Amino acid sequence: MVKIFLTLLCTMFLTSCNAVGSKQFNLGNKKAKTDRNNTKLCVFGNVDSRPALWINHKRVILKDDDKSLSLNDMRGSVLAAVTEGENIYALCGNDKELVLWENNNATVICSVEVQNVAEIVVENGVPAAYFVTTNDVGEAELKRYCNGKTTTLLASEDFRYCFLRDIAVVNGKVYGALNTASQFGEAAVLADGKVTLLEKYMSEAYQIKIDGTDVFVCGSKFTGKQFDDSPEGENPSSAAIWRNGKAKTFAEEGRAMAIDTDKQGNLYAAVCNIGVGDDKCTLWKNGKKIKDITSAWNIEVVFLSVNGDNILIVGSEESEGIGGVNGVFVWENGKKTYLYEGAENVQLHGATCK
């Protein structure tokens, strides 16, 4: 689905991202506040075009007591979800409606097309939703909804020709991992209200992580000496992590799809290799491979969490062979379990551990 989405966007714009700024961004001196001791795992996305939400490995169906509506009645995706104590908050994209679930109350907060990236954070006990709308000509705006009020944080000219792939909200500031919609594609980062290119061409950004004053973006980047020096049909690239705009590559092939840091400052990455069939996902620490996670087809990882000795990875994969089915898996400390198996199509949008 991601690859299809990229192709559609590239066809739509067919232009480079020269409008994106190239200045370095300022992270300030504030430390990110993170709670690493919570254990409630929340996984979300869609299964066969139906919204899907799992909490602590169990499928959850949210209901609206006032309208007798449930997730089972909808088509679309759970774009973001978070738990706070016993409270469950979820953001569901359904055609051209965006629905915010607060326990057993559903509210339509937007009635235009919404991109498949969003975030929910609880601010002063109230859920705040961050999402991206797109108009009929492909112009995007980043918006925030809280307490019945919607505000525009970034207008279309702020990230023209780009689309967000991941959002992080820390201390009220919004950060993002982006890709341009140009012919060749470039990774970019959103910080301090500005979009900054990370590479000139042939790169992808998947996820963003804020750790103290550091901004990490993971993905892949072109590793040829020149853009046109590769044999026809070959585009050499490696898994990459950008720290405050500077890239380090590792693994001869692959995409760093999810990242996390521990309290000692070690940097972990879930890397999926680039290939056709028999794909692999591996765990890396400080640029070195330490574990094999899974081997399947079309592996997509959306979440990596490191808490002391506990390492947690969430993703989706397709079983090998013609007519293979899709499954959602959780890998924890060497053991892989499935939240769901047997779907024709699975698209995960993320996970939280609160």
Side-chain angles (χ1 to χ4, degrees):
M1 293 296 293
V2 172
K3 293 178 182 176
I4 294 172
F5 188 44
L6 262 169
T7 303
L8 289 174
L9 280 170
C10 292
T11 304
M12 182 184 300
F13 292 107
L14 290 177
T15 181
S16 67
C17 199
N18 294 331
V20 179
S22 59
K23 296 180 179 178
Q24 287 294 318
F25 44 88
N26 176 26
L27 301 179
N29 296 316
K30 291 186 178 179
K31 289 285 185 180
K33 295 180 180 179
T34 56
D35 183 357
R36 309 301 297 274
N37 298 315
N38 294 318
T39 57
K40 191 174 287 187
L41 177 64
C42 184
V43 181
F44 46 88
N46 72 67
V47 172
D48 292 335
S49 300
R50 297 286 185 180
L53 173 64
W54 295 269
I55 296 178
N56 280 355
H57 294 240
K58 293 182 179 179
R59 187 83 175 263
V60 174
I61 302 298
L62 297 178
K63 296 182 179 180
D64 184 351
D65 289 342
D66 295 331
K67 301 177 184 178
S68 300
L69 176 69
S70 78
L71 284 183
N72 271 342
D73 303 321
M74 299 178 64
R75 294 186 67 83
S77 292
V78 179
L79 303 180
V82 69
T83 59
E84 184 80 6
E86 297 303 313
N87 298 314
I88 301 173
Y89 306 106
L91 201 59
C92 304
N94 176 24
D95 294 327
K96 286 194 174 182
E97 286 188 339
L98 190 64
V99 180
L100 175 63
W101 295 81
E102 301 179 61
N103 296 319
N104 289 331
N105 293 291
T107 304
V108 176
I109 64 174
C110 181
S111 296
V112 297
E113 186 176 350
V114 176
Q115 292 184 11
N116 287 339
V117 60
E119 177 72 298
I120 295 179
V121 296
V122 179
E123 301 173 353
N124 299 318
V126 178
Y130 296 79
F131 55 96
V132 180
T133 62
T134 306
N135 63 20
D136 292 337
V137 294
E139 295 176 332
E141 292 186 335
L142 176 63
K143 297 183 178 182
R144 175 183 181 271
Y145 173 91
C146 187
N147 273 333
K149 183 180 179 182
T150 300
T151 54
T152 298
L153 302 179
L154 286 176
S156 59
E157 57 267 20
D158 293 315
F159 55 107
R160 187 170 294 157
Y161 312 132
C162 296
F163 64 96
L164 278 163
R165 221 172 200 168
D166 187 39
I167 297 176
V169 181
V170 179
N171 296 328
K173 293 184 178 181
V174 183
Y175 301 84
L178 307 91
N179 284 342
T180 70
S182 72
Q183 183 179 0
F184 302 110
E186 302 96 359
V189 62
L190 168 65
D192 292 334
K194 296 178 292 188
V195 173
T196 304
L197 280 179
L198 294 171
E199 298 294 330
K200 293 180 180 179
Y201 42 66
M202 295 295 290
S203 56
E204 287 190 274
Y206 282 92
Q207 198 173 94
I208 191 162
K209 164 74 179 177
I210 314 301
D211 186 5
T213 59
D214 291 324
V215 172
F216 295 94
V217 175
C218 66
S220 64
K221 72 182 293 288
F222 177 77
T223 54
K225 293 180 181 179
Q226 300 182 61
F227 180 66
D228 58 356
D229 70 346
S230 304
E232 186 176 355
E234 292 185 14
N235 296 310
S237 62
S238 294
I241 295 178
W242 293 266
R243 180 175 183 172
N244 301 333
K246 261 187 191 180
K248 284 190 177 181
T249 57
F250 57 100
E252 292 182 0
E253 292 183 343
R255 304 165 289 168
M257 301 195 73
I259 48 175
D260 198 16
T261 54
D262 63 16
K263 293 180 179 180
Q264 288 72 44
N266 296 304
L267 179 60
Y268 294 77
V271 176
C272 296
N273 76 319
I274 299 173
V276 180
D278 195 28
D279 296 339
K280 292 182 180 180
C281 176
T282 53
L283 178 65
W284 293 66
K285 177 181 178 181
N286 298 330
K288 295 181 179 179
K289 188 175 86 168
I290 58 173
K291 285 196 181 289
D292 292 326
I293 303 303
T294 187
S295 179
W297 285 24
N298 299 322
I299 304 168
E300 300 280 341
V301 172
V302 297
F303 184 71
L304 167 61
S305 174
V306 182
N307 187 1
D309 294 330
N310 190 60
I311 300 176
L312 184 68
I313 294 173
V314 177
S316 63
E317 62 185 20
E318 182 181 344
S319 62
E320 186 176 353
I322 299 174
V325 296
N326 290 270
V328 178
F329 70 85
V330 175
W331 183 96
E332 188 168 8
N333 301 327
K335 182 180 180 181
K336 186 174 74 169
T337 57
Y338 285 93
L339 299 182
Y340 189 90
E341 290 183 277
E344 292 184 6
N345 180 48
V346 169
Q347 184 180 19
L348 294 184
H349 293 297
T352 59
C353 196
K354 295 288 186 182

